[in-house]
Amino acid sequence: MSLSDIQNRISKAEADAGRPVGSVKLIAVSKVQPDARVRAVLEEGHRSFGENRVQEAAGKWPGFREDFDGIDLHIIGPLQSNKVRQAVELAEAIHTVDRPKLAKTIARLAQEMGRCPDLFIQVNTGEEEQKAGVMPRDADAFVAECRALDLPIKGLMCIPPVDEAPSLHFALLAKIAARNGLSWLSMGMSGDFEQAIALGATHVRVGSAIFGERVSG
């Protein structure tokens, strides 16, 4: 499926939901994709990309930035505390703020470096033991804790369980965001982004539908 096909589907989903066309940002998930595939999408004019691993992003995006203006890079994978400085230097947004230690590290480095990416708090809507993210019952308190650190918390992010209806998790994330006055929702991937848009997503993370299956190694 081409980039334009995905963009057309997003536009249709926006219209079907009664939302303005262009209100949803498409993040092309470029993790473990060959540089040639990523470059092809850049050459089509797309500029918002998502990477899971800071190390991979650091090896890839400085070179692309030399060739293309206006790149908007999002870190969408779990973030280790020892990678925060690199993430703050590289990214326009981090979607995976999920624990107090990480929030405090970002706050300290943002003060030191004089810049901070836009931040999303990751919520573990399925309360899965193996998955990162704050539990829904703890989300309000963690939003308040991050705001007390003067962090630019713009929204929430979730990854629904693979064996449950994603719409239930999207609706829960939207509810938590609304009661905390947060307007951005990072939710929806290749298989369910239209449902996410219907429930208020502002950022959808689409990889394989744009690039084809991932290439490892």
Side-chain angles (χ1 to χ4, degrees):
M1 191 167 288
S2 70
L3 175 66
S4 60
D5 289 334
I6 298 295
Q7 291 169 328
N8 289 338
R9 284 172 60 188
I10 288 172
S11 296
K12 183 179 185 304
E14 289 169 333
D16 289 347
R19 298 175 58 186
V21 172
S23 57
V24 177
K25 176 175 284 192
L26 170 60
I27 299 170
V29 179
S30 48
K31 62 181 180 181
V32 297
Q33 292 291 349
D35 284 2
R37 289 186 186 178
V38 179
R39 182 174 291 275
V41 173
L42 281 160
E43 287 173 348
E44 286 188 69
H46 194 72
R47 290 294 181 269
S48 294
F49 292 83
E51 291 284 347
N52 264 41
R53 295 174 64 242
V54 175
Q55 196 167 346
E56 183 182 349
K60 181 187 298 182
W61 287 98
F64 283 137
R65 287 187 196 273
E66 290 179 9
D67 296 338
F68 299 94
D69 292 332
I71 286 172
D72 174 39
L73 184 62
H74 298 245
I75 300 298
I76 60 172
L79 183 57
Q80 298 170 311
S81 295
N82 64 351
K83 301 291 185 188
V84 172
R85 180 182 294 275
Q86 214 169 13
V88 170
E89 288 172 348
L90 276 172
E92 279 66 48
I94 296 169
H95 291 232
T96 49
V97 181
D98 64 352
R99 60 196 186 278
K101 181 185 177 185
L102 178 58
K104 289 171 184 170
T105 302
I106 294 172
R108 176 176 58 78
L109 287 169
Q111 288 289 326
E112 177 190 321
M113 298 164 71
R115 79 180 298 272
C116 189
D118 292 329
L119 301 176
F120 295 75
I121 288 171
Q122 182 173 354
V123 180
N124 185 350
T125 54
E127 302 190 22
E128 298 173 275
E129 287 184 11
Q130 78 282 11
K131 195 170 283 183
V134 298
M135 294 297 170
R137 62 182 174 274
D138 300 325
D140 296 359
F142 189 53
V143 171
E145 186 174 350
C146 289
R147 284 173 166 160
L149 292 167
D150 204 27
L151 289 173
I153 301 296
K154 299 295 182 72
L156 304 178
M157 182 270 246
C158 76
I159 303 170
V162 295
D163 57 350
E164 294 184 19
S167 57
L168 299 174
H169 296 271
F170 299 154
L172 173 59
L173 197 73
K175 184 177 178 182
I176 297 169
R179 71 173 179 243
N180 284 283
L182 295 168
S183 56
W184 289 3
L185 289 167
S186 172
M187 59 189 197
M189 296 186 283
S190 290
D192 55 25
F193 65 83
E194 281 124 334
Q195 292 177 57
I197 291 169
L199 289 163
T202 57
H203 297 65
V204 296
R205 310 179 305 271
V206 179
S208 57
I210 294 172
F211 293 104
E213 290 305 311
R214 292 178 199 146
V215 178
S216 296

